[in-house]
Amino acid sequence: MRGWWQEIAGLVLPGVCEGCGAPGSGLCPGCGEVLAGGGAGEGEGPPGTSPGRVRPSPEPPGLPVVHAAVPYEGAVRALLIAHKERGALGLAGALGGALARAVEAAVGAPEEAVGAVGAFEGAREGACGGRRAGPLLLVPVPSSRRSVRARGHDPTRRLALAAAGRLRRAGRSARVLPVLRQGRAVADQAGLGARGRRANLAGALEVVPGGARLLAAGRVVLVDDLMTTGATLAEAARALGAVHHPFIPRTPTGIGGDSAQHEFEQRVAAVIASSPASFEINRNSSETWIVAGGER
C-alpha cells in the first residue's frame, strides 16, 4: 500500500532524487551513473566501478562466491534504503540493472572450487570453463512475512524480477525462482554483529516443497540487495545445498568411452552493493586485509 501512495504523491508533489536530494525525478542522472558504476558521487569511490568479488571480514562458513555491482555508500546507500523502506518503487528498474551486472559477473567468473567425482580425478583440463545448460535461475533471499506486510512489498523479489528482465533484454535466458522461505521466525538483524547474525539465522531458511526439481533446470544464482556480514547468504546457500547439488557432466579430454566426470559448480551469489571494505579485502592478499580502521 505504501508503494502506491509513494507513486501517487510523486504525481502531485515536487520530486527529488532519492540518492542526493536534488530537485527532479526519483533518480537524477548523476546518481544513476553512480549506480551503473560509471561515476562517483561526493565522498564515494573512484569512477568506473565494475562489479567485483566481495568478501566480508570475518567471512562466515559456507558463504558462496559473491559479486557486488557497487560499494554500499553515498547515493547507492540512499537509493537502496528508499526502495526498501520507503517504497520508492520507481527505482526498481535502475537497481535491477545493477543487480543484473553483478549476476553477469558472478556467472562469468571462473569456478573457484570445482570438485569432482568419478574415475578420472586427475583430468582437470578446462574444468573451470564448464557451464550448466539452461537459464539463469535467480533465487532471491526471502523476506519475512512481517517485513513484507510492514513495507507493503517484497523488495528483493522485485529487484530480482527487474534484474531477470534486464538480462533477458540483453539476450540471456533468465527467470526468478522464489523457492526459499523462512522455516522459523528470526529476530530483527539490526544491531546484531557477525556472530549474532549467524546464530540468529542458523537453520532458519528452507526450500519449499518441489523446489529441488525446479532448481535442476538451470544455473542457480542467489540474489539479494545488500551484503553486510554475509550471514544471510551463507544460510541461504546452506538451505539450497540441503536439496540441490549442482554439477556439470563432462567427459575428460583425451579419454574415450562412456565414462564421465561430474564436476560440482561453485555456489554463487550476486548483490547490488556491499561495503567498500569488502571490495578491498578481495583485492589484497590473505596476509594483508584492508578493513575499516586500517590493516590487520
Side-chain angles (χ1 to χ4, degrees), residues 245-274:
H245 308 285
F247 64 87
I248 311 166
R250 296 174 58 86
T251 300
T253 303
I255 300 176
D258 296 330
S259 298
Q261 178 180 0
H262 290 172
E263 296 172 345
F264 286 90
E265 291 179 344
Q266 173 67 54
R267 188 79 64 192
V268 297
V271 296
I272 295 171
S274 184

PDB file of all heavy atoms in Angstrom, residues 245-274:
ATOM      1  N   HIS A 245      22.431 -30.188  -5.456  1.00  0.00           N
ATOM      2  CA  HIS A 245      23.866 -30.404  -5.606  1.00  0.00           C
ATOM      3  C   HIS A 245      24.219 -30.239  -7.077  1.00  0.00           C
ATOM      4  O   HIS A 245      24.257 -31.215  -7.830  1.00  0.00           O
ATOM      5  CB  HIS A 245      24.265 -31.788  -5.106  1.00  0.00           C
ATOM      6  CG  HIS A 245      23.775 -32.080  -3.721  1.00  0.00           C
ATOM      7  ND1 HIS A 245      24.353 -31.534  -2.604  1.00  0.00           N
ATOM      8  CD2 HIS A 245      22.744 -32.835  -3.283  1.00  0.00           C
ATOM      9  CE1 HIS A 245      23.710 -31.947  -1.525  1.00  0.00           C
ATOM     10  NE2 HIS A 245      22.716 -32.732  -1.911  1.00  0.00           N
ATOM     11  N   PRO A 246      24.450 -29.018  -7.509  1.00  0.00           N
ATOM     12  CA  PRO A 246      24.651 -28.774  -8.942  1.00  0.00           C
ATOM     13  C   PRO A 246      25.965 -29.359  -9.435  1.00  0.00           C
ATOM     14  O   PRO A 246      26.998 -29.254  -8.776  1.00  0.00           O
ATOM     15  CB  PRO A 246      24.657 -27.247  -9.036  1.00  0.00           C
ATOM     16  CG  PRO A 246      25.151 -26.797  -7.699  1.00  0.00           C
ATOM     17  CD  PRO A 246      24.596 -27.792  -6.713  1.00  0.00           C
ATOM     18  N   PHE A 247      25.934 -29.987 -10.585  1.00  0.00           N
ATOM     19  CA  PHE A 247      27.156 -30.477 -11.186  1.00  0.00           C
ATOM     20  C   PHE A 247      27.060 -30.365 -12.693  1.00  0.00           C
ATOM     21  O   PHE A 247      25.982 -30.271 -13.264  1.00  0.00           O
ATOM     22  CB  PHE A 247      27.449 -31.933 -10.789  1.00  0.00           C
ATOM     23  CG  PHE A 247      26.440 -32.925 -11.278  1.00  0.00           C
ATOM     24  CD1 PHE A 247      26.568 -33.493 -12.537  1.00  0.00           C
ATOM     25  CD2 PHE A 247      25.361 -33.293 -10.486  1.00  0.00           C
ATOM     26  CE1 PHE A 247      25.633 -34.413 -12.991  1.00  0.00           C
ATOM     27  CE2 PHE A 247      24.425 -34.206 -10.934  1.00  0.00           C
ATOM     28  CZ  PHE A 247      24.557 -34.764 -12.193  1.00  0.00           C
ATOM     29  N   ILE A 248      28.232 -30.381 -13.327  1.00  0.00           N
ATOM     30  CA  ILE A 248      28.334 -30.341 -14.788  1.00  0.00           C
ATOM     31  C   ILE A 248      28.857 -31.697 -15.250  1.00  0.00           C
ATOM     32  O   ILE A 248      29.983 -32.062 -14.924  1.00  0.00           O
ATOM     33  CB  ILE A 248      29.305 -29.250 -15.257  1.00  0.00           C
ATOM     34  CG1 ILE A 248      28.990 -27.923 -14.563  1.00  0.00           C
ATOM     35  CG2 ILE A 248      29.292 -29.100 -16.761  1.00  0.00           C
ATOM     36  CD1 ILE A 248      30.081 -26.906 -14.712  1.00  0.00           C
ATOM     37  N   PRO A 249      28.091 -32.468 -15.991  1.00  0.00           N
ATOM     38  CA  PRO A 249      28.628 -33.731 -16.518  1.00  0.00           C
ATOM     39  C   PRO A 249      29.611 -33.442 -17.642  1.00  0.00           C
ATOM     40  O   PRO A 249      29.306 -32.709 -18.584  1.00  0.00           O
ATOM     41  CB  PRO A 249      27.379 -34.462 -17.027  1.00  0.00           C
ATOM     42  CG  PRO A 249      26.405 -33.382 -17.342  1.00  0.00           C
ATOM     43  CD  PRO A 249      26.697 -32.243 -16.381  1.00  0.00           C
ATOM     44  N   ARG A 250      30.809 -33.997 -17.533  1.00  0.00           N
ATOM     45  CA  ARG A 250      31.836 -33.760 -18.549  1.00  0.00           C
ATOM     46  C   ARG A 250      32.534 -35.069 -18.860  1.00  0.00           C
ATOM     47  O   ARG A 250      32.657 -35.949 -18.012  1.00  0.00           O
ATOM     48  CB  ARG A 250      32.888 -32.756 -18.059  1.00  0.00           C
ATOM     49  CG  ARG A 250      32.354 -31.373 -17.809  1.00  0.00           C
ATOM     50  CD  ARG A 250      33.440 -30.496 -17.197  1.00  0.00           C
ATOM     51  NE  ARG A 250      34.616 -30.421 -18.057  1.00  0.00           N
ATOM     52  CZ  ARG A 250      34.755 -29.550 -19.057  1.00  0.00           C
ATOM     53  NH1 ARG A 250      33.781 -28.683 -19.318  1.00  0.00           N
ATOM     54  NH2 ARG A 250      35.836 -29.523 -19.788  1.00  0.00           N
ATOM     55  N   THR A 251      33.052 -35.187 -20.071  1.00  0.00           N
ATOM     56  CA  THR A 251      33.929 -36.287 -20.429  1.00  0.00           C
ATOM     57  C   THR A 251      35.343 -35.743 -20.475  1.00  0.00           C
ATOM     58  O   THR A 251      35.616 -34.807 -21.241  1.00  0.00           O
ATOM     59  CB  THR A 251      33.560 -36.878 -21.800  1.00  0.00           C
ATOM     60  OG1 THR A 251      32.215 -37.348 -21.728  1.00  0.00           O
ATOM     61  CG2 THR A 251      34.495 -38.023 -22.159  1.00  0.00           C
ATOM     62  N   PRO A 252      36.281 -36.257 -19.667  1.00  0.00           N
ATOM     63  CA  PRO A 252      37.632 -35.715 -19.637  1.00  0.00           C
ATOM     64  C   PRO A 252      38.294 -35.746 -20.994  1.00  0.00           C
ATOM     65  O   PRO A 252      38.107 -36.674 -21.789  1.00  0.00           O
ATOM     66  CB  PRO A 252      38.352 -36.638 -18.641  1.00  0.00           C
ATOM     67  CG  PRO A 252      37.249 -37.197 -17.793  1.00  0.00           C
ATOM     68  CD  PRO A 252      36.079 -37.332 -18.714  1.00  0.00           C
ATOM     69  N   THR A 253      39.096 -34.726 -21.285  1.00  0.00           N
ATOM     70  CA  THR A 253      39.774 -34.595 -22.563  1.00  0.00           C
ATOM     71  C   THR A 253      40.696 -35.780 -22.807  1.00  0.00           C
ATOM     72  O   THR A 253      41.482 -36.171 -21.937  1.00  0.00           O
ATOM     73  CB  THR A 253      40.594 -33.294 -22.580  1.00  0.00           C
ATOM     74  OG1 THR A 253      39.712 -32.210 -22.317  1.00  0.00           O
ATOM     75  CG2 THR A 253      41.263 -33.096 -23.929  1.00  0.00           C
ATOM     76  N   GLY A 254      40.598 -36.341 -23.999  1.00  0.00           N
ATOM     77  CA  GLY A 254      41.503 -37.413 -24.384  1.00  0.00           C
ATOM     78  C   GLY A 254      41.118 -38.772 -23.862  1.00  0.00           C
ATOM     79  O   GLY A 254      41.868 -39.737 -24.033  1.00  0.00           O
ATOM     80  N   ILE A 255      39.963 -38.898 -23.212  1.00  0.00           N
ATOM     81  CA  ILE A 255      39.554 -40.190 -22.675  1.00  0.00           C
ATOM     82  C   ILE A 255      38.268 -40.602 -23.366  1.00  0.00           C
ATOM     83  O   ILE A 255      37.275 -39.888 -23.333  1.00  0.00           O
ATOM     84  CB  ILE A 255      39.344 -40.121 -21.161  1.00  0.00           C
ATOM     85  CG1 ILE A 255      40.639 -39.702 -20.482  1.00  0.00           C
ATOM     86  CG2 ILE A 255      38.848 -41.455 -20.617  1.00  0.00           C
ATOM     87  CD1 ILE A 255      40.508 -39.515 -18.994  1.00  0.00           C
ATOM     88  N   GLY A 256      38.297 -41.745 -24.002  1.00  0.00           N
ATOM     89  CA  GLY A 256      37.136 -42.186 -24.743  1.00  0.00           C
ATOM     90  C   GLY A 256      36.199 -42.995 -23.879  1.00  0.00           C
ATOM     91  O   GLY A 256      36.347 -43.119 -22.668  1.00  0.00           O
ATOM     92  N   GLY A 257      35.202 -43.590 -24.517  1.00  0.00           N
ATOM     93  CA  GLY A 257      34.264 -44.449 -23.804  1.00  0.00           C
ATOM     94  C   GLY A 257      33.124 -43.667 -23.202  1.00  0.00           C
ATOM     95  O   GLY A 257      32.948 -42.482 -23.438  1.00  0.00           O
ATOM     96  N   ASP A 258      32.350 -44.359 -22.381  1.00  0.00           N
ATOM     97  CA  ASP A 258      31.155 -43.769 -21.789  1.00  0.00           C
ATOM     98  C   ASP A 258      31.396 -43.180 -20.413  1.00  0.00           C
ATOM     99  O   ASP A 258      30.482 -42.640 -19.800  1.00  0.00           O
ATOM    100  CB  ASP A 258      30.047 -44.830 -21.676  1.00  0.00           C
ATOM    101  CG  ASP A 258      29.609 -45.332 -23.046  1.00  0.00           C
ATOM    102  OD1 ASP A 258      29.686 -44.532 -23.997  1.00  0.00           O
ATOM    103  OD2 ASP A 258      29.215 -46.511 -23.140  1.00  0.00           O
ATOM    104  N   SER A 259      32.606 -43.312 -19.904  1.00  0.00           N
ATOM    105  CA  SER A 259      32.878 -42.801 -18.562  1.00  0.00           C
ATOM    106  C   SER A 259      32.816 -41.286 -18.567  1.00  0.00           C
ATOM    107  O   SER A 259      33.311 -40.622 -19.475  1.00  0.00           O
ATOM    108  CB  SER A 259      34.266 -43.251 -18.089  1.00  0.00           C
ATOM    109  OG  SER A 259      34.316 -44.672 -18.025  1.00  0.00           O
ATOM    110  N   ALA A 260      32.209 -40.704 -17.547  1.00  0.00           N
ATOM    111  CA  ALA A 260      32.057 -39.248 -17.466  1.00  0.00           C
ATOM    112  C   ALA A 260      32.503 -38.756 -16.098  1.00  0.00           C
ATOM    113  O   ALA A 260      32.504 -39.490 -15.117  1.00  0.00           O
ATOM    114  CB  ALA A 260      30.595 -38.852 -17.712  1.00  0.00           C
ATOM    115  N   GLN A 261      32.892 -37.526 -16.076  1.00  0.00           N
ATOM    116  CA  GLN A 261      33.319 -36.883 -14.844  1.00  0.00           C
ATOM    117  C   GLN A 261      32.272 -35.850 -14.451  1.00  0.00           C
ATOM    118  O   GLN A 261      31.814 -35.071 -15.289  1.00  0.00           O
ATOM    119  CB  GLN A 261      34.667 -36.192 -15.066  1.00  0.00           C
ATOM    120  CG  GLN A 261      35.185 -35.433 -13.856  1.00  0.00           C
ATOM    121  CD  GLN A 261      36.510 -34.787 -14.170  1.00  0.00           C
ATOM    122  OE1 GLN A 261      37.018 -34.921 -15.268  1.00  0.00           O
ATOM    123  NE2 GLN A 261      37.068 -34.068 -13.226  1.00  0.00           N
ATOM    124  N   HIS A 262      31.877 -35.815 -13.208  1.00  0.00           N
ATOM    125  CA  HIS A 262      30.899 -34.848 -12.729  1.00  0.00           C
ATOM    126  C   HIS A 262      31.622 -33.808 -11.881  1.00  0.00           C
ATOM    127  O   HIS A 262      32.166 -34.122 -10.834  1.00  0.00           O
ATOM    128  CB  HIS A 262      29.825 -35.552 -11.905  1.00  0.00           C
ATOM    129  CG  HIS A 262      28.934 -36.412 -12.737  1.00  0.00           C
ATOM    130  ND1 HIS A 262      28.004 -37.263 -12.177  1.00  0.00           N
ATOM    131  CD2 HIS A 262      28.815 -36.559 -14.080  1.00  0.00           C
ATOM    132  CE1 HIS A 262      27.354 -37.902 -13.136  1.00  0.00           C
ATOM    133  NE2 HIS A 262      27.837 -37.494 -14.292  1.00  0.00           N
ATOM    134  N   GLU A 263      31.615 -32.586 -12.345  1.00  0.00           N
ATOM    135  CA  GLU A 263      32.310 -31.508 -11.649  1.00  0.00           C
ATOM    136  C   GLU A 263      31.280 -30.585 -11.005  1.00  0.00           C
ATOM    137  O   GLU A 263      30.415 -30.050 -11.674  1.00  0.00           O
ATOM    138  CB  GLU A 263      33.188 -30.730 -12.631  1.00  0.00           C
ATOM    139  CG  GLU A 263      34.302 -31.608 -13.193  1.00  0.00           C
ATOM    140  CD  GLU A 263      35.069 -30.924 -14.301  1.00  0.00           C
ATOM    141  OE1 GLU A 263      34.555 -29.910 -14.816  1.00  0.00           O
ATOM    142  OE2 GLU A 263      36.148 -31.388 -14.636  1.00  0.00           O
ATOM    143  N   PHE A 264      31.390 -30.417  -9.715  1.00  0.00           N
ATOM    144  CA  PHE A 264      30.398 -29.630  -8.992  1.00  0.00           C
ATOM    145  C   PHE A 264      30.646 -28.142  -9.185  1.00  0.00           C
ATOM    146  O   PHE A 264      31.774 -27.660  -9.052  1.00  0.00           O
ATOM    147  CB  PHE A 264      30.416 -29.989  -7.508  1.00  0.00           C
ATOM    148  CG  PHE A 264      29.799 -31.316  -7.220  1.00  0.00           C
ATOM    149  CD1 PHE A 264      30.568 -32.463  -7.217  1.00  0.00           C
ATOM    150  CD2 PHE A 264      28.439 -31.428  -6.986  1.00  0.00           C
ATOM    151  CE1 PHE A 264      30.000 -33.694  -6.973  1.00  0.00           C
ATOM    152  CE2 PHE A 264      27.858 -32.661  -6.747  1.00  0.00           C
ATOM    153  CZ  PHE A 264      28.639 -33.797  -6.733  1.00  0.00           C
ATOM    154  N   GLU A 265      29.583 -27.417  -9.496  1.00  0.00           N
ATOM    155  CA  GLU A 265      29.671 -25.967  -9.634  1.00  0.00           C
ATOM    156  C   GLU A 265      29.855 -25.308  -8.271  1.00  0.00           C
ATOM    157  O   GLU A 265      29.315 -25.756  -7.269  1.00  0.00           O
ATOM    158  CB  GLU A 265      28.381 -25.409 -10.253  1.00  0.00           C
ATOM    159  CG  GLU A 265      28.167 -25.781 -11.696  1.00  0.00           C
ATOM    160  CD  GLU A 265      26.849 -25.204 -12.198  1.00  0.00           C
ATOM    161  OE1 GLU A 265      26.009 -24.813 -11.387  1.00  0.00           O
ATOM    162  OE2 GLU A 265      26.689 -25.160 -13.426  1.00  0.00           O
ATOM    163  N   GLN A 266      30.602 -24.248  -8.278  1.00  0.00           N
ATOM    164  CA  GLN A 266      30.705 -23.413  -7.084  1.00  0.00           C
ATOM    165  C   GLN A 266      29.414 -22.632  -6.922  1.00  0.00           C
ATOM    166  O   GLN A 266      28.892 -22.061  -7.875  1.00  0.00           O
ATOM    167  CB  GLN A 266      31.878 -22.434  -7.229  1.00  0.00           C
ATOM    168  CG  GLN A 266      31.981 -21.407  -6.122  1.00  0.00           C
ATOM    169  CD  GLN A 266      32.329 -22.045  -4.797  1.00  0.00           C
ATOM    170  OE1 GLN A 266      33.312 -22.768  -4.704  1.00  0.00           O
ATOM    171  NE2 GLN A 266      31.539 -21.777  -3.777  1.00  0.00           N
ATOM    172  N   ARG A 267      28.850 -22.633  -5.721  1.00  0.00           N
ATOM    173  CA  ARG A 267      27.658 -21.826  -5.458  1.00  0.00           C
ATOM    174  C   ARG A 267      28.020 -20.353  -5.592  1.00  0.00           C
ATOM    175  O   ARG A 267      29.052 -19.916  -5.082  1.00  0.00           O
ATOM    176  CB  ARG A 267      27.143 -22.107  -4.061  1.00  0.00           C
ATOM    177  CG  ARG A 267      25.810 -21.470  -3.737  1.00  0.00           C
ATOM    178  CD  ARG A 267      24.658 -22.240  -4.323  1.00  0.00           C
ATOM    179  NE  ARG A 267      24.540 -23.571  -3.746  1.00  0.00           N
ATOM    180  CZ  ARG A 267      23.761 -24.519  -4.246  1.00  0.00           C
ATOM    181  NH1 ARG A 267      23.044 -24.294  -5.338  1.00  0.00           N
ATOM    182  NH2 ARG A 267      23.696 -25.718  -3.691  1.00  0.00           N
ATOM    183  N   VAL A 268      27.191 -19.573  -6.286  1.00  0.00           N
ATOM    184  CA  VAL A 268      27.487 -18.160  -6.496  1.00  0.00           C
ATOM    185  C   VAL A 268      26.305 -17.305  -6.059  1.00  0.00           C
ATOM    186  O   VAL A 268      25.161 -17.769  -5.993  1.00  0.00           O
ATOM    187  CB  VAL A 268      27.845 -17.857  -7.970  1.00  0.00           C
ATOM    188  CG1 VAL A 268      29.108 -18.589  -8.391  1.00  0.00           C
ATOM    189  CG2 VAL A 268      26.688 -18.204  -8.894  1.00  0.00           C
ATOM    190  N   ALA A 269      26.603 -16.056  -5.778  1.00  0.00           N
ATOM    191  CA  ALA A 269      25.576 -15.100  -5.370  1.00  0.00           C
ATOM    192  C   ALA A 269      25.918 -13.740  -5.957  1.00  0.00           C
ATOM    193  O   ALA A 269      27.074 -13.446  -6.272  1.00  0.00           O
ATOM    194  CB  ALA A 269      25.478 -15.016  -3.849  1.00  0.00           C
ATOM    195  N   ALA A 270      24.893 -12.904  -6.085  1.00  0.00           N
ATOM    196  CA  ALA A 270      25.074 -11.553  -6.614  1.00  0.00           C
ATOM    197  C   ALA A 270      24.254 -10.589  -5.774  1.00  0.00           C
ATOM    198  O   ALA A 270      23.111 -10.886  -5.408  1.00  0.00           O
ATOM    199  CB  ALA A 270      24.641 -11.477  -8.078  1.00  0.00           C
ATOM    200  N   VAL A 271      24.834  -9.442  -5.477  1.00  0.00           N
ATOM    201  CA  VAL A 271      24.149  -8.394  -4.728  1.00  0.00           C
ATOM    202  C   VAL A 271      24.397  -7.066  -5.432  1.00  0.00           C
ATOM    203  O   VAL A 271      25.358  -6.910  -6.189  1.00  0.00           O
ATOM    204  CB  VAL A 271      24.640  -8.315  -3.262  1.00  0.00           C
ATOM    205  CG1 VAL A 271      24.318  -9.591  -2.517  1.00  0.00           C
ATOM    206  CG2 VAL A 271      26.131  -7.997  -3.188  1.00  0.00           C
ATOM    207  N   ILE A 272      23.528  -6.115  -5.158  1.00  0.00           N
ATOM    208  CA  ILE A 272      23.745  -4.788  -5.721  1.00  0.00           C
ATOM    209  C   ILE A 272      24.943  -4.122  -5.066  1.00  0.00           C
ATOM    210  O   ILE A 272      25.795  -3.549  -5.741  1.00  0.00           O
ATOM    211  CB  ILE A 272      22.483  -3.911  -5.549  1.00  0.00           C
ATOM    212  CG1 ILE A 272      21.329  -4.486  -6.375  1.00  0.00           C
ATOM    213  CG2 ILE A 272      22.754  -2.459  -5.956  1.00  0.00           C
ATOM    214  CD1 ILE A 272      19.998  -3.829  -6.107  1.00  0.00           C
ATOM    215  N   ALA A 273      25.018  -4.201  -3.747  1.00  0.00           N
ATOM    216  CA  ALA A 273      26.045  -3.447  -3.033  1.00  0.00           C
ATOM    217  C   ALA A 273      26.600  -4.227  -1.863  1.00  0.00           C
ATOM    218  O   ALA A 273      25.947  -5.094  -1.281  1.00  0.00           O
ATOM    219  CB  ALA A 273      25.472  -2.114  -2.546  1.00  0.00           C
ATOM    220  N   SER A 274      27.824  -3.882  -1.514  1.00  0.00           N
ATOM    221  CA  SER A 274      28.492  -4.413  -0.336  1.00  0.00           C
ATOM    222  C   SER A 274      29.421  -3.322   0.178  1.00  0.00           C
ATOM    223  O   SER A 274      29.694  -2.340  -0.521  1.00  0.00           O
ATOM    224  CB  SER A 274      29.278  -5.684  -0.695  1.00  0.00           C
ATOM    225  OG  SER A 274      29.855  -6.273   0.454  1.00  0.00           O
TER     226      SER A 274
END
